[in-house]
Amino acid sequence: MGDLKRLHRLLMDIDDMLAGCMRCGMCQSVCPVFARTLNEGDVARGKIALLEGLSHQMISDAEGVKCKLDKCLLCGSCSASCPSGVKATDIFLKARAALTEYTGLSPVKKAIFRGTLTHPELFNRLVDMGSKFQGIMTKKANAYHGTSCAPMLSSILGNRQIVPLASKPFRKSHPSMDTPAGKSGLKVAFYPGCLVDKMYTGIGEAVLKVMKHHGVGVFLPANQACCGMPALASGDTKSFEKLVDLNLNCFSGKGFDVLVTPCATCTATLKKVWPMMAENLDMKRRREIDALSAKVMDINQFLVDKVGVRPKDGAEGRAVTFHDPCHLGKSLGVFSQPRTLIQASGRYHIKEMQDANTCCGSGGSFNLQHYETSTQIGQKKRDNIVATQAEIVATGCPACMMQLTDMLASKGDKVRVKHSIELYAETL
Ligand code: SF4
Ligand code: SF4
């Protein structure tokens, strides 16, 4: 058992948050997992019922409760459509934290989160090594999408088509940066996030190109760490808090107007999850987190709402369909800005897919634990993309890009997967 005081606080918080649910079942119709399994235990209402009297449940069957809670994408579809304003994903994150506090973290997760992720230098070195030797473990799968599969790791990765690690991570090309505000009068802090640093370096380059074009100064500090979501989703609050601290040391109190990220999950984590989990920290830490979170903005939103990028009237050009990442649309209400950005040059026009804002089925560790369900949800998204006959599917989250690439590549579809900032940058 971990820290009893922390466990008690978490249980009290959860009890308070559960009280809002009136069991109306509205969340059922929007839950992507329920749509596949038709199991009431998979929907928010079922999970909330399970969490009532969590302290008793923990004693009788902690692992069982954990298992049921893990069958969730943390997509926020339930929270976004709840008429009572129940913050289901916040409840689930706190419940996962309470359960892990009670049962302890598995040795594998301890090694990953406490032994590696919270030590950015070591984490970076290990990933750099992985990038050098990935050719030994993988074989090329789809030349159009540039994906590989890893038969030797099939017990963990199944037959996924994976995006390779970058040969040179973004932070090695740009270890740090501090340029003054130009013609825009604005200066941003840039948080690329792990996937942009280690896999999708082109997104990071696109951000820098766009900032330079608009005369926006960039503060890019060295030693940035993971946003903490992978650790928190596994209930590891200790690693989560350490990662928050590492990032606060990089950004807190430094001179910039906005902190931008091109990763929807990082944006939602820094902006909403950090303050939510800080509720029980000391006042000084809370203030620091609140001050930084208030400055966090998605890159699309920054360019449209702050810099003033506008769509070109009557944009024609090549067809692009846009997938709304759950952490961008449902969590942060950012829907129109990426579409505006894509249509700003006139070189592309948006062709909407059906259900553009439904989850792609990625869900971080959900994809690893429940690949079959994740793929069923992802294939529906793939069908909707292909039906538009667009040449490109754009989105605003590297995690969604990985899932969309897997879904399209496995079917041999010739639809490019891009980040909206990449499409905008190439037109400048
Ligand atoms: S979480 Fe919200 S939508 Fe779902 S049953 Fe409770 S009140 Fe209804
Ligand atoms: S977060 Fe998503 S997957 Fe989880 S219960 Fe809510 S709607 Fe279902």
Side-chain angles (χ1 to χ4, degrees), residues 160-340:
R160 282 175 182 77
Q161 301 232 358
I162 49 178
V163 177
L165 293 165
S167 55
K168 187 175 183 185
F170 180 74
R171 81 181 172 281
K172 282 208 171 161
S173 305
H174 307 279
S176 65
M177 186 180 281
D178 196 355
T179 59
K183 65 183 178 203
S184 70
L186 293 164
K187 180 163 179 171
V188 296
F190 181 28
Y191 180 82
C194 298
L195 293 180
V196 169
D197 178 47
K198 293 160 180 58
M199 292 168 94
Y200 291 104
T201 54
I203 297 174
E205 298 294 347
V207 171
L208 295 183
K209 182 180 175 185
V210 170
M211 293 305 157
K212 196 171 174 193
H213 174 82
H214 286 289
V216 177
V218 177
F219 170 57
L220 175 75
N223 305 320
Q224 297 186 31
C226 165
C227 68
M229 183 42 88
L232 188 65
S234 286
D236 184 6
T237 43
K238 209 169 153 188
S239 297
F240 171 76
E241 283 169 12
K242 184 162 179 202
L243 289 163
V244 172
D245 276 353
L246 288 171
N247 285 311
L248 282 176
N249 290 341
C250 289
F251 292 105
S252 193
K254 306 291 191 308
F256 56 85
D257 304 296
V258 176
L259 187 154
V260 294
T261 103
C263 171
T265 300
C266 295
T267 314
T269 304
L270 268 63
K271 192 154 192 71
K272 293 188 123 178
V273 179
W274 281 16
M276 186 269 292
M277 290 305 293
E279 276 166 8
N280 293 314
L281 295 181
D282 65 75
M283 192 55 86
K284 184 175 169 284
R285 217 56 179 155
R286 272 174 64 179
R287 282 212 189 105
E288 223 178 330
I289 289 173
D290 287 348
L292 188 64
S293 295
K295 288 188 171 186
V296 173
M297 238 181 174
D298 160 66
I299 186 74
N300 300 281
Q301 190 180 21
F302 170 74
L303 287 165
V304 174
D305 296 356
K306 291 271 184 193
V307 176
V309 174
R310 292 287 168 263
K312 199 161 192 156
D313 283 342
E316 293 216 342
R318 296 161 70 193
V320 176
T321 192
F322 188 78
H323 158 67
D324 294 289
C326 296
H327 292 145
L328 197 57
K330 288 184 274 277
S331 291
L332 300 168
V334 176
F335 288 102
S336 65
Q337 294 91 334
R339 290 168 171 82
T340 299

Side-chain angles (χ1 to χ4, degrees), residues 1-12 58 94 97-105 114 235-239 241 280-281:
M1 177 132 26
D3 181 339
L4 268 179
K5 235 165 106 185
R6 191 203 295 256
L7 177 59
H8 177 68
R9 271 198 313 255
L10 282 165
L11 289 171
M12 301 272 286
M58 280 196 314
K94 290 205 173 186
L99 283 158
T100 302
E101 203 64 58
Y102 181 73
T103 61
L105 204 60
R114 295 185 187 170
D236 184 6
T237 43
K238 209 169 153 188
S239 297
E241 283 169 12
N280 293 314
L281 295 181

Side-chain angles (χ1 to χ4, degrees), residues 27 30-33 42-44 47 72-78 89 92:
C27 44
V30 294
C31 177
V33 177
D42 292 338
V43 80
K47 288 188 172 73
C72 171
L73 290 152
L74 295 174
C75 67
S77 305
C78 45
T89 45
F92 302 154

Side-chain angles (χ1 to χ4, degrees), residues 20-27 44-45 48 78 81-84 86 88:
C21 177
M22 53 186 186
R23 305 289 161 86
C24 66
M26 299 272 281
C27 44
R45 180 174 61 179
I48 285 171
C78 45
S81 64
C82 175
S84 306
V86 174

